[in-house]
């Protein structure tokens, strides 16, 4: 079990992100722009100079890393590769290992992440059909990850990319993912999306929690984001007055958000404090499919919509909770998972310098030998282990909670909720993204 990610590396000798712009990797892939910069590296836009196909390239720094930090990089790459067999997970196309960094070539989604599509473009709020389509795709991706023993632990709109004019979404960023069914990595992820059991260790001997239901809780917050453009609370903790109010009154969310009765009922199943009783993903999918509407114009809202200085237009509800009619979108069919494309377990192929691979239509053939035409650095192409096939749809995926159902570790949440005074609440805006690469 790997613990919570180590601190950021010391970047001794690390070149500036813009220094790599224009560089051609493997003789064909040219870095053209910078998408983001984080503690562990840089994400670039890139283009295949022979096919003009765009890609994104994650340059993970190797200089100054401790062995533990290297293991986290390797784990992210390996788990992402296994998960990318699903069509709603961003494809990991190729890995190239250079002396100073590891280049991870991934699918490029030019429409950005789900966060910007919700807050800046207002693409899903008021559009129940589109929101349902997107959320079902997210459910499929997460269920597939769980079926092969991968738990994301950082599900949030910033880690979901959008394509096809919002019709298709893809799960990304496996930097905090784990293969541990039970984990003791408390505080792992983003506070807005963490489950209560993930916040702080429970009293001994229950100093661990199940990874799967923690992901389910995060899915519930994303569902509120998609439908209302808000977060239900800042933190699912006793320190958060909004969350305590919800613990005291299960109907509380309908008083601050324009939720339909059906969606409110679904959220109660997701936001079950006891992880052993929390809804499973297959059951959640069925409820979402049957949900006639996500929002309601008759929702009892205790406070008026905030004024513009406190609620920019991109965060505001559409027309003060008025639902915009849209054409129906049919649910997605069961995805056909591609066969594994890599067969050898972490074998390495040496790359000769100064040659190019002009025989292939794409630079990313798993068996090709290519090189860098603009640098004297040699690249090693890393072949990952095989991916796993998903189980047939409808097969129940189960998990064992580290806490017995009868255990009362979560009772302090209930007790603290009784101390909440009757005050006016308003839902917090969606948190600005914090990019960590």
């Amino acid at each position: 079990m790997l613990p919570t990610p180590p601190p950021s590396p010391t970047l001794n000798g690390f070149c500036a992100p813009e220094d790599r712009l224009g560089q051609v990797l493997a003789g064909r892939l040219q870095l053209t722009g910078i998408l983001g910069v984080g503690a562990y590296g840089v994400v670039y836009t890139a283009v295949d100079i022979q096919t003009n196909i765009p890609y994104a390239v994650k340059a993970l720094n190797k200089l100054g890393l401790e062995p533990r930090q290297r293991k986290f990089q390797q784990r992210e790459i390996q788990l992402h590769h296994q998960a990318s067999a699903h069509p709603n997970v961003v494809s990991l196309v190729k890995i190239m290992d250079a002396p100073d960094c590891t280049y991870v070539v991934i699918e490029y989604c030019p429409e950005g992440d789900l966060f910007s599509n919700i807050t800046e473009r207002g693409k899903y709020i008021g559009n129940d059909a589109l929101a349902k389509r997107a959320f079902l795709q997210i459910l499929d991706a997460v269920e597939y990850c769980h079926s092969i023993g991968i738990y994301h632990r950082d599900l949030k709109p910033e880690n979901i990319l959008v394509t096809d004019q919002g019709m298709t979404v893809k799960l990304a960023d496996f930097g905090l993912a784990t293969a541990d069914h039970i984990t003791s990595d408390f505080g792992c992820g983003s506070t807005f999306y963490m489950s209560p059991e993930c916040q702080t260790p429970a009293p001994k001997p229950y100093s661990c929690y199940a990874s799967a239901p923690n992901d389910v809780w995060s899915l519930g917050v994303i569902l509120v984001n998609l439908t209302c453009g808000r977060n239900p609370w800042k933190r699912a903790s006793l320190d958060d007055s909004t969350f305590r109010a919800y613990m005291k009154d299960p109907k509380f969310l309908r008083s601050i958000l324009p939720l339909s009765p059906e969606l409110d009922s679904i959220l109660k199943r997701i936001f079950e404090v006891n992880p052993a009783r929390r809804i499973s993903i297959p059951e959640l999918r069925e409820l979402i499919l049957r949900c006639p509407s996500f929002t309601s114009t008759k929702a009892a809202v205790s406070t008026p919509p905030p004024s513009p200085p406190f609620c920019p237009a991109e965060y505001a509800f559409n027309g003060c909770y008025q639902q915009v009619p849209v054409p129906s979108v049919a649910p997605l069919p069961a995805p056909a998972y591609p066969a594994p494309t890599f067969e050898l377990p972490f074998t390495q192929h040496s790359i000769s310098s100064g040659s190019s691979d002009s025989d292939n239509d794409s630079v990313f053939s798993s068996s090709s030998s290519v090189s860098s035409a603009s640098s004297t650095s040699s690249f090693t192409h890393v072949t990952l282990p095989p991916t796993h096939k998903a189980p047939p749809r409808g097969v129940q995926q189960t998990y064992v909670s580290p806490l017995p159902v009868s255990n009362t570790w979560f009772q302090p949440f209930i007790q603290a909720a009784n101390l909440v005074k009757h005050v006016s609440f308003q839902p917090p805006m969606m948190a600005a993204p914090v990019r960590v690469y």
Side-chain angles (χ1 to χ4, degrees), residues 314-358:
E314 60 264 30
Y315 295 103
F317 296 124
N318 191 348
C320 296
Y321 311 150
Q322 292 182 3
Q323 186 174 345
V324 179
V326 293
S328 176
V329 178
L332 291 178
Y337 300 102
T341 56
F342 295 87
E343 299 180 355
L344 300 178
F346 262 104
T347 57
Q348 296 184 344
H349 303 283
S350 298
I351 307 305
S352 60
S353 178
S355 63
S356 63
D357 183 24
S358 59

Side-chain angles (χ1 to χ4, degrees), residues 215-237:
D215 276 352
V216 171
W217 183 283
S218 302
L219 289 170
V221 181
I222 293 174
L223 182 56
V224 175
N225 295 161
L226 276 169
T227 55
C228 301
R230 292 292 181 113
N231 286 307
W233 37 69
K234 292 183 178 179
R235 188 175 192 137
S237 165

Side-chain angles (χ1 to χ4, degrees), residues 22 30 65 95 98 126 152 183 204 288 303 359 405 421 433:
Q30 185 173 29
L65 292 185
I95 301 165
H152 194 279
T183 179
K204 292 182 179 180
I288 292 295
T303 57
D359 296 331
V405 174
K421 297 180 180 179

